[in-house]
Amino acid sequence: MYAERASRLTGAVVWTHTPTVPGSGRVLPDGCMDLLWHEGRLLVAGPDTRAHLTAGSSGAWAGVRFPPGTAPALLGVPARELRDRRVGLDDLWPAARVRRLTARVNAAPDPATGLEEAALSRAADAEPPDLGRLVAALDAGRPVAATADELGLSARQLHRRALTAFGYGPKTLARVLRLQRALALARAGTSLAETAVRSGYADQAHLARDVRELAGVPPGELLARHG
């Protein structure tokens, strides 16, 4: 069973998941990074460029999903170093520091609350870069070159900043955000043909190719699994 709620940390989401049936799960690219708790251990989920299969891992999970571009400043690690990876927090921070934080999370009323408190504490000590305009422009389907001009950056500067904040270049981020827009429309009952047009794809075939490449399955199968 999966459940989520808005976090007290602006833009973040707190979630819990306990698998109820055997088999692998499929986590889709969304431009975000997560701080995770699983059976007493803390981990970090980096930004994905393709679907991540959970390989039927058992036991309860909890997480805080940070909005695009904000996690690297909180974790102290460039997003590009965590692209398509799940790593223990003790691979990124000193072991003693991780032990103290893990103990606090495990002592909380529930792991999700403990993770949220940890995220709020980190946010109080670190100010993430203001990337809201960049994310909003790309999510609205603005061309990368035009977005760079609007932000007063060269294409190279924008690419370098995106690698640090998102783990990949702005074109990949735009593609991931477009996929999420399309899935939201399709899950709300919009036809795939209309979804393609409204999300910024050339046509339905273009949408289908992108879904296959990013999610690993055809649109119909993906929507049936996650509908």
Side-chain angles (χ1 to χ4, degrees), residues 5 16 41 57 73 77 80 92 107 112 137 187 199 202 204 206-207:
R5 62 172 174 82
T16 58
R41 186 181 179 214
S57 54
V77 181
R80 64 178 178 273
L92 307 177
R187 288 167 178 160
S199 301
Q204 185 175 337
H206 183 199
L207 166 63

Side-chain angles (χ1 to χ4, degrees), residues 44-93:
V44 174
D48 293 323
T49 60
R50 57 186 180 275
H52 172 77
L53 301 182
T54 58
S57 54
S58 60
W61 289 81
V64 174
R65 182 176 305 117
F66 300 103
T70 60
L74 301 180
L75 299 174
V77 181
R80 64 178 178 273
E81 296 185 9
L82 298 173
R83 183 173 55 231
D84 293 319
R85 298 177 64 199
R86 277 26 177 197
V87 301
L89 188 59
D90 50 8
D91 289 336
L92 307 177
W93 290 3

Side-chain angles (χ1 to χ4, degrees), residues 28-33 47-48 66-70 165-166 168 173 176-177 180:
L28 302 183
D30 58 7
C32 302
M33 292 174 58
D48 293 323
F66 300 103
T70 60
F166 308 111
Y168 33 62
L173 176 62
V176 166
L177 295 175
Q180 290 296 326

Side-chain angles (χ1 to χ4, degrees), residues 109-176:
D110 59 82
T113 298
L115 287 175
E116 183 178 31
E117 292 295 340
L120 287 165
S121 177
R122 289 293 300 168
D125 296 331
E127 185 159 344
D130 182 10
L131 297 166
R133 287 179 61 198
L134 171 57
V135 175
L138 295 179
D139 195 26
R142 294 284 293 157
V144 171
T147 299
D149 288 341
E150 291 166 4
L151 296 175
L153 300 171
S154 69
R156 182 172 296 181
Q157 287 172 323
L158 180 61
H159 188 79
R160 185 168 59 245
R161 191 169 296 185
L163 284 178
T164 299
F166 308 111
Y168 33 62
K171 289 185 179 180
T172 298
L173 176 62
R175 191 178 179 212
V176 166

Side-chain angles (χ1 to χ4, degrees), residues 167-224:
Y168 33 62
K171 289 185 179 180
T172 298
L173 176 62
R175 191 178 179 212
V176 166
L177 295 175
R178 183 176 61 184
L179 171 71
Q180 290 296 326
R181 291 198 306 274
L183 292 177
L185 286 169
R187 288 167 178 160
T190 305
S191 70
L192 288 179
E194 184 179 351
T195 289
V197 172
R198 292 173 58 182
S199 301
Y201 292 93
D203 51 31
Q204 185 175 337
H206 183 199
L207 166 63
R209 288 195 302 271
D210 229 37
V211 171
R212 277 183 173 275
E213 290 177 14
L214 293 174
V217 293
E221 182 178 342
L222 180 64
L223 293 170

